[in-house]
Amino acid sequence: MVLSVIDPDRRWVNSGTEKLPNNKLLDTLPEFILDDIADVLIQSSRFRINLLGNVNLAPVCQLIQVCVCHPHFFRNPYLVSKLIEVIYMHSPDVQGTSTPLFEKIITPSSSEQFLLPSLLDFYTEVESTGTSSEFYDKFSIRYHIAIITKTLWFASNTTHRLTLMQCLENTKYTRFINMLLNDTTFLLDESIDSLRSIRDTQKLMSDTAKWESTPEETKTQKLNQLKQDERQCKSYLTLANETVQMFHYLTQSIQSPFLRAALIDRVAAMLNYNLQQLCGPKCADLKVQDPQKYGFQPKELVQQITDIYINLDSPVFLDAVAGDERSYKPELFTLAITRLTNAAIKSSYEIAAFSEFAKKVREKYDEKQAMDLDFEDAPDEFRDPLMSTMMRTPVRLPSGVIMDKPLLRDIC
């Protein structure tokens, strides 16, 4: 019945070659119907209850397809997110093997054409849902989308992978990559802060004499803070690991979307900053007891981040990495190479490739330092009024002020 309201002419069911037009009849459909359907499917998969053994799955799968591929049909984003959770709960990552429902959702040509683009659109749209808990809810929703995307990317049917690559080539999805950058930066930063706090508390507790002499009230506060840090760290790292992995497998196959002028500096800054956190002088602060408990896998993170550098290796990317004044220092890559070697994170061939990349970045950095020295006494009109750096691409604003275009783009 629900499917007949959404797709009365069976255009989606029969062909699925184009999106459906808006349907005013949907406004008369109570949301709880779809909500209840989603609840049953989620709970049955969560508790491994075989409720669907003798059920004709085709109408259910078609309903989920059409709803997820047309999220704008629904005013409540949480309804769409629940249907996405249904796909996630029946995916191989959760169930250990692909379920009939999952296969029937992803196999039709309509899913191959529209499912991943719709998921990427929803990934960005869920940034703001209008509720007080939207900031935290978006991470759960994006985690489900990340898992589904990874499953489809590595599926034996490569059509979904080609669809995703075509999406990323479209500048419309620059915003998606930007959101992915924001999430990776925020989640890893918060996770690392939590790990440092956990380490401090564990260090205090390991000193028996000092811990015993601590007032009971302070002990209680420290233990409560430890529990909160552990919950937050595990939660944030769960999605952070997926976002870094997504960058890793995407940049292996397609580089140009990440090298766009609007993104390249942010990509380089994100990689440099997180490499500094994991391999820099303060990386010892992240050594906690039983890191697997929180999903903290520093070796894997370092391996993936250094791989991403090599995946994106190009003249413009070398400039961006070397030009990151916040985090890049030649010593950083030296420390990273030492870490890769001592911990046997990469093979000797891979370490040599990263060392070559580091050498090329160092050359760009030295060129930039020499240029900055040459232009040290340049007149003020050649300098950006905000950062006092030499303008490479000056542009005049409507106000008459002249600024460096890359800096202006970052501000906007």
Side-chain angles (χ1 to χ4, degrees):
M1 180 200 68
V2 180
L3 190 59
S4 65
V5 173
I6 299 175
D7 186 18
D9 300 327
R10 297 182 63 81
R11 289 169 55 186
W12 181 267
V13 173
N14 293 332
S15 64
T17 55
E18 58 183 26
K19 290 283 192 83
L20 297 174
N22 289 331
N23 189 339
K24 292 184 179 180
L25 282 176
L26 274 176
D27 294 336
T28 66
L29 185 69
E31 287 185 352
F32 72 81
I33 296 177
L34 284 173
D35 195 59
D36 288 349
I37 292 172
D39 274 335
V40 169
L41 294 172
I42 290 169
Q43 296 305 323
S44 66
S45 63
R46 180 169 292 156
F47 297 105
R48 305 294 198 274
I49 301 172
N50 187 18
L51 296 179
L52 306 175
N54 299 317
V55 175
N56 179 13
L57 294 176
V60 178
C61 296
Q62 289 163 359
L63 176 62
I64 294 172
Q65 284 171 25
V66 73
C67 292
V68 172
C69 293
H70 299 80
H72 58 282
F73 281 2
F74 308 96
R75 297 175 184 174
N76 182 0
Y78 291 102
L79 186 58
V80 180
S81 70
K82 224 169 188 182
L83 294 171
I84 291 173
E85 187 178 358
V86 170
I87 304 176
Y88 160 77
M89 288 299 297
H90 285 81
S91 69
D93 271 68
V94 178
Q95 298 297 324
T97 184
S98 191
T99 65
L101 185 138
F102 183 80
E103 288 297 327
K104 286 183 179 293
I105 290 174
I106 69 168
T107 302
S109 58
S110 53
S111 287
E112 292 175 347
Q113 185 175 354
F114 296 113
L115 181 58
L116 273 175
S118 299
L119 289 174
L120 299 193
D121 286 338
F122 196 69
Y123 190 104
T124 58
E125 289 166 6
V126 81
E127 178 74 14
S128 178
T129 59
T131 65
S132 58
S133 60
E134 65 180 20
F135 182 78
Y136 299 100
D137 292 341
K138 70 181 181 183
F139 291 126
S140 296
I141 298 168
R142 286 174 174 173
Y143 175 71
H144 296 156
I145 293 174
I147 293 295
I148 297 168
T149 303
K150 180 175 68 174
T151 303
L152 296 179
W153 178 266
F154 290 106
S156 56
N157 180 355
T158 59
T159 308
H160 286 289
R161 178 185 293 200
L162 294 173
T163 300
L164 180 54
M165 292 173 69
Q166 288 170 0
C167 283
L168 295 179
E169 289 285 9
N170 189 334
T171 54
K172 170 188 173 183
Y173 291 95
T174 298
R175 189 170 175 229
F176 163 73
I177 300 175
N178 196 48
M179 294 293 179
L180 203 60
L181 280 166
N182 290 345
D183 286 351
T184 305
T185 301
F186 172 80
L187 292 165
L188 281 176
D189 206 23
E190 291 295 308
S191 301
I192 286 169
D193 284 346
S194 295
L195 285 166
R196 289 196 173 108
S197 180
I198 290 168
R199 175 179 165 80
D200 290 343
T201 306
Q202 288 178 345
K203 191 175 179 180
L204 175 62
M205 293 173 67
S206 65
D207 187 339
T208 307
K210 191 173 182 180
W211 178 251
E212 290 299 329
S213 64
T214 304
E216 287 300 320
E217 185 178 349
T218 304
K219 280 185 183 178
T220 303
Q221 290 174 351
K222 290 285 185 183
L223 290 172
N224 288 339
Q225 183 63 44
L226 177 61
K227 289 178 181 177
Q228 181 180 332
D229 288 335
E230 288 182 333
R231 283 195 303 270
Q232 179 171 294
C233 184
K234 185 174 182 179
S235 174
Y236 284 159
L237 274 173
T238 299
L239 180 55
N241 290 333
E242 289 300 326
T243 57
V244 173
Q245 188 178 7
M246 187 180 290
F247 269 114
H248 185 253
Y249 65 72
L250 289 177
T251 55
Q252 281 181 325
S253 298
I254 180 170
Q255 294 79 41
S256 58
F258 301 91
L259 300 177
R260 289 180 187 137
L263 293 170
I264 188 170
D265 289 335
R266 296 201 63 223
V267 172
M270 182 273 289
L271 294 172
N272 288 343
Y273 177 72
N274 287 305
L275 189 67
Q276 181 188 57
Q277 296 280 49
L278 294 167
C279 298
K282 296 183 179 180
C283 67
D285 295 344
L286 306 180
K287 290 184 178 179
V288 296
Q289 300 169 12
D290 192 14
Q292 291 79 14
K293 176 181 177 181
Y294 316 112
F296 183 47
Q297 301 168 318
K299 289 183 179 180
E300 189 169 335
L301 284 172
V302 171
Q303 180 184 31
Q304 291 176 344
I305 288 172
T306 50
D307 279 349
I308 295 168
Y309 279 114
I310 296 171
N311 293 343
L312 297 177
D313 187 2
S314 62
V316 288
F317 187 63
L318 293 172
D319 283 335
V321 174
D324 174 27
E325 297 180 358
R326 179 190 180 192
S327 301
Y328 175 74
K329 294 287 185 295
E331 299 78 19
L332 172 62
F333 278 34
T334 303
L335 289 170
I337 292 166
T338 303
R339 177 80 186 274
L340 292 170
T341 305
N342 293 343
I345 296 174
K346 285 180 176 289
S347 67
S348 57
Y349 174 79
E350 291 171 324
I351 293 173
F354 184 71
S355 298
E356 181 62 25
F357 176 84
K359 180 183 176 182
K360 290 188 286 187
V361 174
R362 177 62 188 262
E363 290 171 357
K364 290 287 185 180
Y365 177 78
D366 290 342
E367 289 175 12
K368 182 178 180 299
Q369 293 296 102
M371 187 180 296
D372 289 344
L373 189 62
D374 289 341
F375 292 115
E376 189 175 9
D377 299 326
D380 289 344
E381 57 264 32
F382 291 94
R383 294 182 176 275
D384 183 89
L386 189 61
M387 298 298 292
S388 193
T389 54
M390 278 293 297
M391 291 187 288
R392 303 288 191 269
T393 316
V395 292
R396 188 185 299 275
L397 304 181
S399 62
V401 175
I402 299 175
M403 292 185 68
D404 201 10
K405 188 177 181 180
L407 178 64
L408 186 64
R409 184 176 57 240
D410 291 343
I411 295 172
C412 296

